Amino acid sequence: MVRYTKEHKQETRQRIITTAGRRLKRNGIDGSGVATLMKDAGLTNGTFYAYFASKDELVATAVADQMRAQHANIVAHAAPGRAGLEQIVRWYFSTGQRDTVEDGCPNAALLDEIARSTDPTRQAYTNGVLVLIDDFAARLAPHDPPSARLKSLSLLGMMAGTLQLSRALTDRQLADQLLEQGIRNALALLDAEQHN
């Protein structure tokens, strides 16, 4: 019997989490079975239970990982202040972000299913959202971030809903126009906050 190092086990676990996150965003939580998730990771079904007690545990872990990755790869690298929020908004409402669901925002891809998920999945999502909105709020109101927390949450909700609607439309021109309007709406919300 082959013994794997702790490092190898951790790398394998992370590969499962990462590939599951992409598949969940593409096919949804209900549309992604354990067999498919493990095949994506290049592993057998039997291997699954060496890493996770249930699909629900993997889903909660993958959602947390996707939220963490979105913050680390996009939000944390944006410029400070309003300029950084504008960078985030423009990235979020790009056609590339809309058209590559598996590489995009977990909010827009999974929000409706997360609302009906287990408490651990909803908590993992909530924890990730709080990190995002606290970052938004710190850029929006650097001298008093708590005052901008609810506005930041509203901004995130508007962004996710607009992106979901753009993805659902069959009329590509209308979908593109909606993204452009989303940018204008988000920037107007940011500018309104700056003047308050």
Side-chain angles (χ1 to χ4, degrees), residues 82 140 148 151 184-196:
R82 187 201 181 281
L140 196 54
K151 273 236 174 30
R184 288 191 293 275
N185 291 347
L187 296 181
L189 180 66
L190 295 177
D191 290 340
E193 180 62 25
Q194 296 290 318
H195 300 315
N196 286 339

Side-chain angles (χ1 to χ4, degrees), residues 73-185:
N73 297 332
I74 307 300
V75 177
H77 291 290
R82 187 201 181 281
L85 286 170
E86 184 170 342
Q87 282 179 302
I88 294 165
V89 164
R90 290 188 181 282
W91 164 79
Y92 199 88
F93 288 127
S94 68
T95 56
Q97 152 75 348
R98 179 197 57 212
D99 297 342
T100 55
V101 176
E102 66 273 2
D103 292 324
C105 173
N107 293 298
L110 296 171
L111 197 55
D112 59 330
E113 286 189 275
I114 289 170
R116 295 186 304 270
S117 288
T118 64
D119 287 344
T121 297
R122 291 177 62 222
Q123 189 61 58
Y125 174 75
T126 299
N127 294 344
V129 163
L130 293 176
V131 171
L132 287 176
I133 66 162
D134 285 345
D135 194 295
F136 286 11
R139 292 168 197 271
L140 196 54
H143 301 297
D144 186 15
S147 72
R149 201 167 196 229
L150 197 53
K151 273 236 174 30
S152 297
L153 187 57
S154 178
L155 174 64
L156 182 63
M158 181 197 68
M159 290 167 59
T162 300
L163 187 61
Q164 285 177 321
L165 184 55
S166 180
R167 285 178 175 166
L169 295 172
T170 58
D171 181 330
R172 178 66 178 222
Q173 183 179 3
L174 184 59
D176 290 347
Q177 290 172 341
L178 180 58
L179 291 181
E180 287 299 319
Q181 185 63 50
I183 292 170
R184 288 191 293 275
N185 291 347

Side-chain angles (χ1 to χ4, degrees), residues 41-89:
L43 300 165
T44 65
N45 287 0
T47 309
F48 176 81
Y49 293 100
Y51 294 94
F52 300 96
S54 66
K55 178 185 170 188
D56 288 341
E57 181 187 345
L58 172 58
V59 168
T61 304
V63 165
D65 186 67
Q66 287 292 313
M67 295 299 289
R68 195 172 28 257
Q70 182 177 22
H71 183 266
N73 297 332
I74 307 300
V75 177
H77 291 290
R82 187 201 181 281
L85 286 170
E86 184 170 342
Q87 282 179 302
I88 294 165
V89 164

